[in-house]
Structure formats: C-alpha cells, structure tokens
Amino acid sequence: MSELMGKTALITGAGRGIGKEIARALGKSGANLIISDIAADFANQAASELNDAGIKTLAVVGDISKAGDVETLFKTANETFGGVDILVNNAGITRDNLLARMDEKDWDLVLSVNLKGAFLCTKAASRGMMKKRYGRIVNISSVVGIMGNAGQANYSASKAGLIGLTKSAAKELAGRNITVNAVAPGYIATDMTQNLPEEAKAKFLQSVPLGRPGTPEDIAGVVLFLVSDAASYITGQVIHIDGGMLM
C-alpha cells in the first residue's frame, strides 16, 4: 500500500474510464495525484471521489494538445507537490471514419491530442525528472497501433506514434534513471466501447482467446507494476493487455 509513498503521479485523461482507474490504483499505493482532463465536470468529480478515499488529489482542467495548458499543468504540479515523479499519458480521443471519407480536421485533432499531447507532457515532465535522476513514464497505446483497424486510420496512427515516442524517449532518458514504457490495451469495457454496436462487440470478442473484454482495472494493475521498483529494469517495452488478441 505504500509502494509509491512520497511520489507524485500525473495522469492525463483521468476524469473517467481507464485514466481514472489508473489514478485510483496509484493513489491507493501512496502516490499524490494530479489528474488532468479537458472536461471540468469529470475531472472535479474524480478528484472529489479520490480525496474522499483519503488520496491527496488535485484536478487540473486543460487541453494537453496546447503547449500553454501543459505549461500551466506542470507549473501547478510543481507548486503543489514539488514536481512529477510519474507521468501516465492516457488522454485520447477517437474520430472514426473510413480513410477516404475522413476530414482533415478529424485527422489533425486525433493526432494532436493523442500524440502531440503525450509529446508535450513527456517533454515537460522529463525536465524535472532529469534533475531528480528519477522518473517513470507510461504511455497508453493500443493494439490497433500495432495491427491497424479499418475506420481508425487517425487513431491507429496516433497509437503507433506513441510506441515510437516511447522507444525514443526510453533511449534518451535511460541515463538519468527514467524508464519509459507503453501498454497496448485491446478490447476494454469502457464508456467508449460501450457505445459500439452489439455486432462489433461480438466480433471483437471472437478474436480474444480469453473470451471476455478487459477492464480498466486490468490496465491499472500493469501500469502500477511499471511505475513500481519491481519494474526498475524495464524500459522501452510495449506490453499487450489484450486477452491474447494479438497472440
């Protein structure tokens, strides 16, 4: 329960879903939390729940695709908790359509939030981590960033880009005792996947040997491991959390 005591974790897109569950897992292990989300209602509600559970949590509302908002986010983290030890780049959006019908604005928006946002946050976090000679960064990619998916060219490209960012940052930061890893969730039961047609859900499950969708807790448990001392010799890796989908 005290594995992360004294550490501060910043999780983007933590107002609900997987991000919120990751925040809860890290907070239960002793970390102070900064949860970032573009939706004020979700961010404040999540922070309230976590604070009520005895976890020191601060919500910061902003758009991580904008450099000014990221600067404010990390300034707040520094002023409140003295810096960031753990960064989880979880924020992500979808704007699905077939490639031939996809609007340029939907391509730009998804890449801006999912990939540029992670770049801006990693750049900001790494400065303080290098001074401390300690840091843990986890990027939430996706199995579609590895295998692609029809109707998700923008989302798949952004998640593939996160894998390249992970490996490059891992090589650059390893000398300062900073690990950078990614997890690639498969079909996870969240608000986002809940809205899929039943036919699409059934098709996904047919490709999962374990025969069930994953849960946000499944993702949070692996992230908790990657930011713990037990994973101090793991960097530049992509861990599939997909029930065997890509096996």
Side-chain angles (χ1 to χ4, degrees):
M1 292 295 292
S2 60
E3 172 75 23
L4 303 180
M5 193 65 69
K7 300 290 194 299
T8 296
L10 191 158
I11 305 97
T12 66
R16 57 179 172 168
I18 291 173
K20 183 178 177 181
E21 198 55 46
I22 291 171
R24 190 190 314 277
L26 302 190
K28 284 183 176 180
S29 292
N32 300 318
L33 301 178
I34 303 268
I35 61 172
S36 164
D37 206 290
I38 197 169
D41 290 348
F42 288 129
N44 292 328
Q45 177 62 32
S48 178
E49 290 178 20
L50 293 167
N51 276 312
D52 288 345
I55 301 168
K56 291 183 180 178
T57 307
L58 178 66
V60 180
V61 178
D63 181 351
I64 59 161
S65 70
K66 297 179 179 178
D69 284 14
V70 171
E71 183 178 346
T72 298
L73 173 62
F74 279 85
K75 181 180 179 182
T76 302
N78 291 333
E79 292 174 349
T80 306
F81 293 120
V84 172
D85 304 290
I86 297 163
L87 170 65
V88 182
N89 286 310
N90 167 77
I93 62 170
T94 58
R95 293 293 185 274
D96 297 348
N97 210 335
L98 294 176
L99 185 60
R101 299 175 183 172
M102 186 174 291
D103 290 336
E104 183 180 355
K105 66 179 183 184
D106 287 338
W107 173 273
D108 289 344
L109 182 61
V110 169
L111 270 290
S112 186
V113 174
N114 298 7
L115 185 55
K116 180 185 174 184
F119 154 69
L120 291 173
C121 289
T122 299
K123 181 179 179 180
S126 65
R127 295 183 183 123
M129 290 177 177
M130 285 191 289
K131 290 179 181 178
K132 294 181 179 181
R133 300 190 70 85
Y134 175 89
R136 299 286 182 264
I137 300 172
V138 180
N139 296 319
I140 308 301
S141 182
S142 170
V143 293
V144 303
I146 300 162
M147 68 180 191
N149 196 33
Q152 289 193 310
N154 49 3
Y155 186 75
S156 299
S158 71
K159 294 301 186 177
L162 273 178
I163 292 173
L165 175 63
T166 296
K167 294 177 180 292
S168 297
K171 289 183 176 182
E172 290 188 20
L173 300 174
R176 295 298 182 96
N177 190 34
I178 301 167
T179 65
V180 188
N181 292 288
V183 298
Y187 176 37
I188 308 299
T190 64
D191 290 342
M192 186 183 295
T193 57
Q194 189 64 33
N195 293 325
L196 290 171
E198 291 302 319
E199 183 180 342
K201 295 178 187 177
K203 186 176 180 180
F204 269 122
L205 286 178
Q206 287 175 4
S207 65
V208 179
L210 285 181
R212 68 168 179 87
T215 67
E217 290 84 357
D218 291 325
I219 310 304
V222 177
V223 173
L224 177 59
F225 164 69
L226 288 172
V227 304
S228 73
D229 289 342
S232 63
Y233 201 55
I234 299 174
T235 197
Q237 303 305 305
V238 182
I239 299 180
H240 302 172
I241 313 173
D242 62 4
M245 182 187 290
L246 291 185
M247 182 168 49

